[in-house]
Amino acid sequence: MPALTKIPAWLQVYNKDICWKMDGLNNSIYLTFDDGPHPVVTPLVLNILSKYQVKATFFCIGKNVEQYPDLYTRIIHEGHQVANHSYSHRSGWKMPVDEYVTDVDKAGRSITSTLFRPPYGRITPYQFKALKSRYKIIMWDVLSKDYDTTIPDETVITNVTENISPGSIIVMHDNEKTVGRMEKILTQIIIDIQNRQWNFRAL
Ligand SMILES: [Zn+2]
């Protein structure tokens, strides 16, 4: 089950068109990082991924790519996947369809990808219909809650390690909220998964 507290009814109708989890072929696991590039956390994440030879997917925010173009380029040069996470990271529930699509396409001018993840996982059926011919909508099945500073690092780690299975798409965040904890949580999560002999893949 996806780790949203409640899945809207329309989402269940379109569920087959939305990717919550990959097939678990070759025990593959998909790490994804949302909201970057961030000047502190993104380089830290890239260094850890390089150390453990892990490939991942970065759902970038368009305005952050414009602000940190060198980090965006570094993500690609190090063999990771980049993907669209909108330009201004606003909730789809509060935006008209055309405004939402314009915001995604604005991000698409600097982020070359057909993968899109809605900010906060919030997208209306009309927004979804307007985007689905051009973008593959990627959600997740395992939410680390690394952005929740009220829960301890150990809980973030077990949110992932106790809920993954082959094919899982894990959400983490390279943003301001994970500055102090990313090194510890990411290292522990990678070690746990590599100890199972599972394989990290980019989307
Ligand atoms: Zn986000």
Side-chain angles (χ1 to χ4, degrees), residues 104-167:
V104 175
D105 285 338
K106 191 175 177 187
R109 291 209 287 269
S110 49
I111 302 163
T112 310
S113 175
T114 56
L115 305 179
F116 172 67
R117 174 174 286 160
Y120 314 102
R122 290 174 180 173
I123 182 168
T124 68
Y126 299 104
Q127 291 160 355
F128 174 76
K129 277 191 229 175
L131 290 171
K132 80 184 182 87
S133 64
R134 293 184 292 123
Y135 291 96
K136 185 175 177 187
I137 311 295
I138 309 286
M139 302 295 250
W140 57 83
D141 69 314
V142 176
L143 192 60
S144 67
K145 296 189 180 170
D146 57 351
Y147 51 80
D148 185 345
T149 53
T150 67
I151 63 174
D153 295 348
E154 284 68 24
T155 305
V156 175
I157 294 165
T158 56
N159 279 345
V160 174
T161 58
E162 292 180 359
N163 291 298
I164 46 171
S165 56

Short mmCIF file of all heavy atoms in Angstrom, two decimals, residues 104-167:
data_model
loop_
_atom_site.label_atom_id
_atom_site.label_comp_id
_atom_site.label_asym_id
_atom_site.label_seq_id
_atom_site.Cartn_x
_atom_site.Cartn_y
_atom_site.Cartn_z
N VAL A 104 4.70 23.11 -14.26
CA VAL A 104 5.46 21.88 -14.56
C VAL A 104 6.29 22.09 -15.83
O VAL A 104 7.48 21.73 -15.88
CB VAL A 104 4.51 20.67 -14.73
CG1 VAL A 104 5.28 19.43 -15.17
CG2 VAL A 104 3.76 20.40 -13.42
N ASP A 105 5.67 22.68 -16.85
CA ASP A 105 6.40 22.90 -18.10
C ASP A 105 7.52 23.92 -17.95
O ASP A 105 8.55 23.82 -18.63
CB ASP A 105 5.43 23.35 -19.21
CG ASP A 105 4.58 22.20 -19.71
OD1 ASP A 105 4.99 21.04 -19.54
OD2 ASP A 105 3.49 22.45 -20.26
N LYS A 106 7.33 24.89 -17.06
CA LYS A 106 8.41 25.85 -16.79
C LYS A 106 9.62 25.12 -16.21
O LYS A 106 10.77 25.38 -16.60
CB LYS A 106 7.91 26.94 -15.82
CG LYS A 106 8.86 28.11 -15.68
CD LYS A 106 8.25 29.20 -14.80
CE LYS A 106 9.23 30.34 -14.60
NZ LYS A 106 8.74 31.33 -13.62
N ALA A 107 9.38 24.18 -15.31
CA ALA A 107 10.47 23.36 -14.78
C ALA A 107 11.09 22.53 -15.90
O ALA A 107 12.31 22.31 -15.93
CB ALA A 107 9.96 22.47 -13.66
N GLY A 108 10.24 22.10 -16.83
CA GLY A 108 10.71 21.26 -17.93
C GLY A 108 11.68 21.97 -18.87
O GLY A 108 12.38 21.32 -19.64
N ARG A 109 11.73 23.29 -18.79
CA ARG A 109 12.69 24.01 -19.63
C ARG A 109 14.12 23.80 -19.15
O ARG A 109 15.06 23.87 -19.94
CB ARG A 109 12.36 25.52 -19.64
CG ARG A 109 11.06 25.83 -20.38
CD ARG A 109 11.08 27.21 -20.99
NE ARG A 109 10.94 28.28 -20.00
CZ ARG A 109 9.78 28.80 -19.61
NH1 ARG A 109 8.66 28.37 -20.14
NH2 ARG A 109 9.75 29.76 -18.72
N SER A 110 14.30 23.54 -17.84
CA SER A 110 15.66 23.30 -17.36
C SER A 110 15.88 21.85 -16.91
O SER A 110 17.01 21.41 -16.74
CB SER A 110 16.01 24.26 -16.21
OG SER A 110 14.98 24.28 -15.25
N ILE A 111 14.78 21.09 -16.71
CA ILE A 111 14.92 19.70 -16.30
C ILE A 111 14.46 18.80 -17.44
O ILE A 111 13.28 18.78 -17.79
CB ILE A 111 14.07 19.40 -15.04
CG1 ILE A 111 14.48 20.32 -13.89
CG2 ILE A 111 14.19 17.93 -14.64
CD1 ILE A 111 13.45 20.38 -12.77
N THR A 112 15.40 18.07 -18.03
CA THR A 112 15.08 17.22 -19.17
C THR A 112 14.64 15.85 -18.67
O THR A 112 15.47 15.00 -18.34
CB THR A 112 16.30 17.08 -20.10
OG1 THR A 112 16.79 18.38 -20.38
CG2 THR A 112 15.92 16.37 -21.38
N SER A 113 13.33 15.64 -18.60
CA SER A 113 12.82 14.37 -18.10
C SER A 113 11.33 14.23 -18.43
O SER A 113 10.61 15.22 -18.50
CB SER A 113 12.99 14.29 -16.58
OG SER A 113 12.40 13.12 -16.07
N THR A 114 10.89 12.99 -18.61
CA THR A 114 9.45 12.74 -18.77
C THR A 114 8.86 12.18 -17.48
O THR A 114 7.71 11.73 -17.47
CB THR A 114 9.19 11.76 -19.93
OG1 THR A 114 9.94 10.57 -19.68
CG2 THR A 114 9.60 12.35 -21.26
N LEU A 115 9.64 12.19 -16.41
CA LEU A 115 9.14 11.73 -15.11
C LEU A 115 8.71 12.94 -14.29
O LEU A 115 9.43 13.93 -14.21
CB LEU A 115 10.22 10.97 -14.33
CG LEU A 115 10.88 9.78 -15.03
CD1 LEU A 115 11.95 9.17 -14.12
CD2 LEU A 115 9.85 8.75 -15.42
N PHE A 116 7.53 12.87 -13.69
CA PHE A 116 7.04 13.97 -12.86
C PHE A 116 6.49 13.43 -11.55
O PHE A 116 5.77 12.44 -11.53
CB PHE A 116 5.94 14.76 -13.58
CG PHE A 116 5.26 15.78 -12.71
CD1 PHE A 116 5.95 16.90 -12.26
CD2 PHE A 116 3.93 15.62 -12.33
CE1 PHE A 116 5.33 17.84 -11.43
CE2 PHE A 116 3.29 16.56 -11.51
CZ PHE A 116 4.01 17.67 -11.07
N ARG A 117 6.87 14.09 -10.46
CA ARG A 117 6.27 13.78 -9.15
C ARG A 117 5.59 15.03 -8.63
O ARG A 117 6.23 16.08 -8.48
CB ARG A 117 7.32 13.31 -8.16
CG ARG A 117 6.76 13.12 -6.74
CD ARG A 117 7.78 12.52 -5.79
NE ARG A 117 7.97 11.11 -6.05
CZ ARG A 117 9.05 10.42 -5.65
NH1 ARG A 117 10.01 11.03 -5.01
NH2 ARG A 117 9.14 9.13 -5.91
N PRO A 118 4.29 14.98 -8.33
CA PRO A 118 3.58 16.16 -7.82
C PRO A 118 4.12 16.57 -6.45
O PRO A 118 4.31 15.71 -5.59
CB PRO A 118 2.13 15.66 -7.67
CG PRO A 118 2.06 14.36 -8.39
CD PRO A 118 3.43 13.79 -8.41
N PRO A 119 4.36 17.88 -6.23
CA PRO A 119 4.73 18.35 -4.90
C PRO A 119 3.69 17.90 -3.86
O PRO A 119 2.49 17.99 -4.13
CB PRO A 119 4.74 19.87 -5.05
CG PRO A 119 5.06 20.10 -6.50
CD PRO A 119 4.39 18.97 -7.22
N TYR A 120 4.16 17.39 -2.75
CA TYR A 120 3.30 16.87 -1.66
C TYR A 120 2.43 15.69 -2.11
O TYR A 120 1.51 15.29 -1.39
CB TYR A 120 2.40 17.98 -1.08
CG TYR A 120 3.12 19.27 -0.80
CD1 TYR A 120 3.01 20.35 -1.66
CD2 TYR A 120 3.95 19.39 0.33
CE1 TYR A 120 3.70 21.53 -1.43
CE2 TYR A 120 4.64 20.58 0.56
CZ TYR A 120 4.51 21.64 -0.32
OH TYR A 120 5.19 22.81 -0.08
N GLY A 121 2.68 15.15 -3.29
CA GLY A 121 1.84 14.08 -3.82
C GLY A 121 0.43 14.56 -4.15
O GLY A 121 -0.47 13.76 -4.33
N ARG A 122 0.26 15.89 -4.23
CA ARG A 122 -1.08 16.45 -4.41
C ARG A 122 -1.32 16.88 -5.85
O ARG A 122 -0.71 17.83 -6.33
CB ARG A 122 -1.29 17.64 -3.47
CG ARG A 122 -1.39 17.19 -2.03
CD ARG A 122 -1.45 18.38 -1.10
NE ARG A 122 -1.55 17.93 0.29
CZ ARG A 122 -1.47 18.74 1.33
NH1 ARG A 122 -1.32 20.05 1.15
NH2 ARG A 122 -1.55 18.26 2.54
N ILE A 123 -2.22 16.19 -6.50
CA ILE A 123 -2.57 16.50 -7.88
C ILE A 123 -4.05 16.18 -8.07
O ILE A 123 -4.56 15.20 -7.51
CB ILE A 123 -1.66 15.71 -8.85
CG1 ILE A 123 -1.95 16.05 -10.31
CG2 ILE A 123 -1.76 14.20 -8.60
CD1 ILE A 123 -0.89 15.50 -11.28
N THR A 124 -4.76 17.03 -8.79
CA THR A 124 -6.19 16.78 -9.02
C THR A 124 -6.36 15.92 -10.27
O THR A 124 -5.45 15.83 -11.10
CB THR A 124 -6.96 18.10 -9.21
OG1 THR A 124 -6.53 18.68 -10.46
CG2 THR A 124 -6.71 19.08 -8.07
N PRO A 125 -7.54 15.29 -10.44
CA PRO A 125 -7.73 14.46 -11.64
C PRO A 125 -7.58 15.24 -12.93
O PRO A 125 -7.07 14.71 -13.91
CB PRO A 125 -9.16 13.93 -11.49
CG PRO A 125 -9.76 14.61 -10.32
CD PRO A 125 -8.66 15.18 -9.50
N TYR A 126 -7.98 16.52 -12.95
CA TYR A 126 -7.87 17.32 -14.17
C TYR A 126 -6.41 17.63 -14.48
O TYR A 126 -5.98 17.62 -15.63
CB TYR A 126 -8.69 18.61 -14.04
CG TYR A 126 -10.15 18.32 -13.82
CD1 TYR A 126 -10.73 18.46 -12.56
CD2 TYR A 126 -10.96 17.87 -14.88
CE1 TYR A 126 -12.06 18.17 -12.35
CE2 TYR A 126 -12.29 17.57 -14.68
CZ TYR A 126 -12.85 17.72 -13.41
OH TYR A 126 -14.15 17.41 -13.21
N GLN A 127 -5.64 17.93 -13.44
CA GLN A 127 -4.20 18.17 -13.64
C GLN A 127 -3.53 16.89 -14.14
O GLN A 127 -2.70 16.93 -15.05
CB GLN A 127 -3.57 18.63 -12.32
CG GLN A 127 -4.03 20.01 -11.89
CD GLN A 127 -3.82 20.26 -10.41
OE1 GLN A 127 -3.40 19.39 -9.65
NE2 GLN A 127 -4.11 21.49 -9.98
N PHE A 128 -3.92 15.78 -13.53
CA PHE A 128 -3.36 14.50 -13.94
C PHE A 128 -3.65 14.22 -15.42
O PHE A 128 -2.76 13.87 -16.19
CB PHE A 128 -3.92 13.38 -13.06
CG PHE A 128 -3.50 12.01 -13.50
CD1 PHE A 128 -2.22 11.54 -13.23
CD2 PHE A 128 -4.37 11.20 -14.20
CE1 PHE A 128 -1.81 10.29 -13.66
CE2 PHE A 128 -3.98 9.94 -14.63
CZ PHE A 128 -2.69 9.49 -14.35
N LYS A 129 -4.91 14.43 -15.83
CA LYS A 129 -5.29 14.18 -17.22
C LYS A 129 -4.53 15.09 -18.18
O LYS A 129 -4.20 14.70 -19.29
CB LYS A 129 -6.80 14.38 -17.40
CG LYS A 129 -7.62 13.16 -16.99
CD LYS A 129 -9.07 13.32 -17.46
CE LYS A 129 -10.01 13.03 -16.33
NZ LYS A 129 -11.41 13.27 -16.66
N ALA A 130 -4.26 16.32 -17.72
CA ALA A 130 -3.57 17.28 -18.59
C ALA A 130 -2.09 16.93 -18.76
O ALA A 130 -1.46 17.35 -19.73
CB ALA A 130 -3.70 18.69 -18.01
N LEU A 131 -1.54 16.19 -17.85
CA LEU A 131 -0.10 15.90 -17.89
C LEU A 131 0.22 14.48 -18.35
O LEU A 131 1.33 14.22 -18.82
CB LEU A 131 0.51 16.11 -16.50
CG LEU A 131 0.62 17.55 -16.00
CD1 LEU A 131 1.03 17.57 -14.54
CD2 LEU A 131 1.62 18.35 -16.83
N LYS A 132 -0.73 13.56 -18.24
CA LYS A 132 -0.36 12.14 -18.34
C LYS A 132 0.10 11.68 -19.72
O LYS A 132 0.78 10.68 -19.83
CB LYS A 132 -1.47 11.25 -17.80
CG LYS A 132 -2.63 10.97 -18.72
CD LYS A 132 -3.65 10.13 -17.95
CE LYS A 132 -4.83 9.75 -18.80
NZ LYS A 132 -4.65 8.53 -19.56
N SER A 133 -0.25 12.45 -20.76
CA SER A 133 0.23 12.04 -22.09
C SER A 133 1.71 12.38 -22.27
O SER A 133 2.39 11.77 -23.09
CB SER A 133 -0.60 12.71 -23.18
OG SER A 133 -0.40 14.11 -23.14
N ARG A 134 2.20 13.33 -21.51
CA ARG A 134 3.59 13.77 -21.69
C ARG A 134 4.51 13.35 -20.55
O ARG A 134 5.72 13.34 -20.70
CB ARG A 134 3.65 15.30 -21.85
CG ARG A 134 2.99 15.77 -23.14
CD ARG A 134 3.13 17.25 -23.34
NE ARG A 134 2.38 18.02 -22.37
CZ ARG A 134 2.92 18.91 -21.56
NH1 ARG A 134 4.22 19.17 -21.63
NH2 ARG A 134 2.17 19.57 -20.69
N TYR A 135 3.93 13.05 -19.41
CA TYR A 135 4.75 12.69 -18.25
C TYR A 135 4.29 11.38 -17.63
O TYR A 135 3.09 11.09 -17.58
CB TYR A 135 4.67 13.77 -17.16
CG TYR A 135 5.34 15.07 -17.53
CD1 TYR A 135 4.60 16.12 -18.06
CD2 TYR A 135 6.71 15.25 -17.35
CE1 TYR A 135 5.20 17.32 -18.41
CE2 TYR A 135 7.32 16.44 -17.69
CZ TYR A 135 6.56 17.48 -18.21
OH TYR A 135 7.16 18.65 -18.54
N LYS A 136 5.25 10.62 -17.16
CA LYS A 136 4.93 9.46 -16.34
C LYS A 136 4.90 9.95 -14.88
O LYS A 136 5.87 10.55 -14.42
CB LYS A 136 6.01 8.37 -16.53
CG LYS A 136 5.71 7.08 -15.82
CD LYS A 136 6.78 6.04 -16.18
CE LYS A 136 6.53 4.75 -15.41
NZ LYS A 136 7.63 3.79 -15.62
N ILE A 137 3.77 9.73 -14.21
CA ILE A 137 3.62 10.24 -12.85
C ILE A 137 4.18 9.21 -11.87
O ILE A 137 3.72 8.07 -11.82
CB ILE A 137 2.13 10.53 -12.52
CG1 ILE A 137 1.47 11.36 -13.63
CG2 ILE A 137 2.01 11.19 -11.15
CD1 ILE A 137 2.00 12.75 -13.82
N ILE A 138 5.17 9.64 -11.11
CA ILE A 138 5.86 8.74 -10.17
C ILE A 138 5.51 9.15 -8.73
O ILE A 138 5.81 10.27 -8.32
CB ILE A 138 7.39 8.82 -10.33
CG1 ILE A 138 7.81 8.62 -11.80
CG2 ILE A 138 8.07 7.81 -9.40
CD1 ILE A 138 7.72 7.22 -12.32
N MET A 139 4.91 8.24 -7.98
CA MET A 139 4.67 8.49 -6.56
C MET A 139 5.70 7.68 -5.77
O MET A 139 6.86 7.74 -6.07
CB MET A 139 3.23 8.14 -6.19
CG MET A 139 2.19 8.91 -6.99
SD MET A 139 2.17 10.70 -6.69
CE MET A 139 0.63 10.84 -5.82
N TRP A 140 5.27 6.91 -4.79
CA TRP A 140 6.21 6.15 -3.95
C TRP A 140 5.41 5.12 -3.16
O TRP A 140 4.18 5.22 -3.06
CB TRP A 140 6.92 7.09 -2.97
CG TRP A 140 5.94 7.82 -2.10
CD1 TRP A 140 5.35 7.37 -0.95
CD2 TRP A 140 5.39 9.13 -2.35
NE1 TRP A 140 4.47 8.32 -0.47
CE2 TRP A 140 4.48 9.40 -1.30
CE3 TRP A 140 5.60 10.09 -3.34
CZ2 TRP A 140 3.76 10.59 -1.24
CZ3 TRP A 140 4.87 11.27 -3.26
CH2 TRP A 140 3.97 11.51 -2.22
N ASP A 141 6.11 4.15 -2.61
CA ASP A 141 5.44 3.24 -1.67
C ASP A 141 6.06 3.31 -0.28
O ASP A 141 5.47 2.82 0.67
CB ASP A 141 5.42 1.79 -2.19
CG ASP A 141 6.78 1.15 -2.20
OD1 ASP A 141 7.73 1.81 -2.67
OD2 ASP A 141 6.90 0.00 -1.77
N VAL A 142 7.22 3.96 -0.16
CA VAL A 142 7.86 4.07 1.16
C VAL A 142 8.27 5.52 1.42
O VAL A 142 9.11 6.08 0.71
CB VAL A 142 9.10 3.15 1.26
CG1 VAL A 142 9.81 3.35 2.59
CG2 VAL A 142 8.70 1.68 1.08
N LEU A 143 7.65 6.10 2.44
CA LEU A 143 7.92 7.50 2.81
C LEU A 143 8.83 7.48 4.04
O LEU A 143 8.45 6.97 5.09
CB LEU A 143 6.59 8.17 3.13
CG LEU A 143 6.51 9.68 3.27
CD1 LEU A 143 6.96 10.39 2.00
CD2 LEU A 143 5.09 10.09 3.62
N SER A 144 10.03 8.06 3.92
CA SER A 144 10.97 8.03 5.05
C SER A 144 10.54 8.99 6.17
O SER A 144 10.87 8.80 7.32
CB SER A 144 12.37 8.41 4.58
OG SER A 144 12.41 9.78 4.16
N LYS A 145 9.79 10.04 5.80
CA LYS A 145 9.46 11.14 6.72
C LYS A 145 10.72 11.83 7.26
O LYS A 145 10.73 12.30 8.40
CB LYS A 145 8.55 10.67 7.85
CG LYS A 145 7.20 10.18 7.34
CD LYS A 145 6.20 9.91 8.45
CE LYS A 145 4.88 9.43 7.89
NZ LYS A 145 3.96 8.93 8.89
N ASP A 146 11.75 11.87 6.46
CA ASP A 146 13.01 12.51 6.86
C ASP A 146 12.83 14.01 7.09
O ASP A 146 13.62 14.64 7.78
CB ASP A 146 14.11 12.26 5.81
CG ASP A 146 13.72 12.73 4.41
OD1 ASP A 146 12.54 13.10 4.17
OD2 ASP A 146 14.60 12.73 3.53
N TYR A 147 11.75 14.59 6.54
CA TYR A 147 11.48 16.03 6.69
C TYR A 147 10.85 16.35 8.04
O TYR A 147 10.74 17.51 8.42
CB TYR A 147 10.51 16.49 5.59
CG TYR A 147 9.27 15.63 5.50
CD1 TYR A 147 8.21 15.80 6.39
CD2 TYR A 147 9.18 14.60 4.57
CE1 TYR A 147 7.10 14.99 6.34
CE2 TYR A 147 8.07 13.78 4.51
CZ TYR A 147 7.03 13.98 5.40
OH TYR A 147 5.94 13.15 5.37
N ASP A 148 10.40 15.32 8.76
CA ASP A 148 9.70 15.54 10.03
C ASP A 148 10.73 15.61 11.17
O ASP A 148 11.21 14.60 11.65
CB ASP A 148 8.71 14.41 10.27
CG ASP A 148 7.87 14.64 11.53
OD1 ASP A 148 8.22 15.52 12.35
OD2 ASP A 148 6.85 13.94 11.69
N THR A 149 11.05 16.85 11.57
CA THR A 149 12.11 17.04 12.55
C THR A 149 11.68 16.65 13.96
O THR A 149 12.50 16.66 14.88
CB THR A 149 12.59 18.52 12.53
OG1 THR A 149 11.45 19.37 12.68
CG2 THR A 149 13.29 18.85 11.23
N THR A 150 10.40 16.28 14.14
CA THR A 150 9.96 15.86 15.47
C THR A 150 10.19 14.37 15.71
O THR A 150 10.01 13.89 16.82
CB THR A 150 8.45 16.16 15.69
OG1 THR A 150 7.68 15.31 14.82
CG2 THR A 150 8.13 17.61 15.38
N ILE A 151 10.57 13.63 14.68
CA ILE A 151 10.83 12.20 14.90
C ILE A 151 12.34 11.93 14.84
O ILE A 151 13.07 12.57 14.09
CB ILE A 151 10.07 11.30 13.90
CG1 ILE A 151 10.51 11.55 12.45
CG2 ILE A 151 8.56 11.49 14.03
CD1 ILE A 151 9.89 10.59 11.45
N PRO A 152 12.81 11.00 15.68
CA PRO A 152 14.26 10.74 15.75
C PRO A 152 14.80 10.08 14.48
O PRO A 152 14.04 9.45 13.73
CB PRO A 152 14.39 9.80 16.95
CG PRO A 152 13.05 9.24 17.21
CD PRO A 152 12.05 10.20 16.65
N ASP A 153 16.11 10.22 14.28
CA ASP A 153 16.77 9.64 13.10
C ASP A 153 16.48 8.14 12.99
O ASP A 153 16.26 7.62 11.90
CB ASP A 153 18.29 9.85 13.18
CG ASP A 153 18.67 11.32 13.11
OD1 ASP A 153 17.81 12.15 12.77
OD2 ASP A 153 19.85 11.63 13.40
N GLU A 154 16.50 7.46 14.13
CA GLU A 154 16.30 6.00 14.12
C GLU A 154 14.94 5.63 13.53
O GLU A 154 14.79 4.62 12.85
CB GLU A 154 16.43 5.42 15.53
CG GLU A 154 17.86 5.30 16.05
CD GLU A 154 18.52 6.65 16.31
OE1 GLU A 154 17.78 7.66 16.54
OE2 GLU A 154 19.77 6.72 16.27
N THR A 155 13.93 6.47 13.83
CA THR A 155 12.59 6.20 13.29
C THR A 155 12.56 6.41 11.78
O THR A 155 11.91 5.65 11.06
CB THR A 155 11.56 7.12 13.98
OG1 THR A 155 11.67 6.95 15.39
CG2 THR A 155 10.14 6.80 13.53
N VAL A 156 13.27 7.43 11.32
CA VAL A 156 13.34 7.66 9.87
C VAL A 156 13.96 6.44 9.19
O VAL A 156 13.47 5.95 8.17
CB VAL A 156 14.17 8.93 9.55
CG1 VAL A 156 14.36 9.09 8.05
CG2 VAL A 156 13.51 10.18 10.14
N ILE A 157 15.02 5.93 9.79
CA ILE A 157 15.71 4.77 9.21
C ILE A 157 14.78 3.55 9.18
O ILE A 157 14.65 2.89 8.15
CB ILE A 157 17.00 4.46 10.01
CG1 ILE A 157 18.00 5.62 9.83
CG2 ILE A 157 17.63 3.14 9.56
CD1 ILE A 157 19.14 5.64 10.84
N THR A 158 14.09 3.28 10.30
CA THR A 158 13.22 2.10 10.32
C THR A 158 11.95 2.32 9.49
O THR A 158 11.38 1.35 9.00
CB THR A 158 12.83 1.69 11.76
OG1 THR A 158 12.22 2.79 12.42
CG2 THR A 158 14.05 1.22 12.53
N ASN A 159 11.52 3.57 9.31
CA ASN A 159 10.40 3.83 8.38
C ASN A 159 10.71 3.23 7.01
O ASN A 159 9.82 2.76 6.30
CB ASN A 159 10.18 5.34 8.19
CG ASN A 159 9.37 5.97 9.32
OD1 ASN A 159 8.75 5.26 10.10
ND2 ASN A 159 9.42 7.29 9.40
N VAL A 160 11.99 3.28 6.66
CA VAL A 160 12.41 2.73 5.37
C VAL A 160 12.70 1.23 5.48
O VAL A 160 12.10 0.41 4.78
CB VAL A 160 13.66 3.47 4.83
CG1 VAL A 160 14.19 2.80 3.57
CG2 VAL A 160 13.32 4.94 4.57
N THR A 161 13.58 0.86 6.41
CA THR A 161 14.08 -0.53 6.40
C THR A 161 13.00 -1.55 6.77
O THR A 161 13.09 -2.70 6.35
CB THR A 161 15.28 -0.68 7.36
OG1 THR A 161 14.87 -0.29 8.69
CG2 THR A 161 16.44 0.21 6.92
N GLU A 162 11.98 -1.12 7.51
CA GLU A 162 10.93 -2.08 7.90
C GLU A 162 9.77 -2.10 6.90
O GLU A 162 8.84 -2.89 7.05
CB GLU A 162 10.40 -1.74 9.31
CG GLU A 162 11.45 -2.01 10.39
CD GLU A 162 10.95 -1.67 11.79
OE1 GLU A 162 9.80 -1.21 11.92
OE2 GLU A 162 11.74 -1.86 12.73
N ASN A 163 9.81 -1.24 5.89
CA ASN A 163 8.68 -1.17 4.95
C ASN A 163 9.06 -1.45 3.50
O ASN A 163 8.19 -1.47 2.63
CB ASN A 163 8.01 0.20 5.05
CG ASN A 163 7.29 0.37 6.37
OD1 ASN A 163 6.35 -0.35 6.68
ND2 ASN A 163 7.75 1.31 7.18
N ILE A 164 10.35 -1.62 3.23
CA ILE A 164 10.75 -1.85 1.84
C ILE A 164 10.58 -3.31 1.44
O ILE A 164 10.63 -4.22 2.26
CB ILE A 164 12.23 -1.46 1.57
CG1 ILE A 164 13.14 -2.00 2.68
CG2 ILE A 164 12.38 0.02 1.42
CD1 ILE A 164 14.60 -1.84 2.38
N SER A 165 10.40 -3.49 0.13
CA SER A 165 10.48 -4.82 -0.47
C SER A 165 11.01 -4.60 -1.89
O SER A 165 11.02 -3.45 -2.37
CB SER A 165 9.11 -5.48 -0.47
OG SER A 165 8.16 -4.67 -1.12
N PRO A 166 11.46 -5.62 -2.58
CA PRO A 166 12.00 -5.41 -3.93
C PRO A 166 11.02 -4.64 -4.81
O PRO A 166 9.82 -4.94 -4.83
CB PRO A 166 12.23 -6.84 -4.43
CG PRO A 166 12.57 -7.60 -3.19
CD PRO A 166 11.65 -7.01 -2.13
N GLY A 167 11.55 -3.60 -5.50
CA GLY A 167 10.72 -2.74 -6.34
C GLY A 167 10.29 -1.46 -5.65
O GLY A 167 9.74 -0.56 -6.30
#
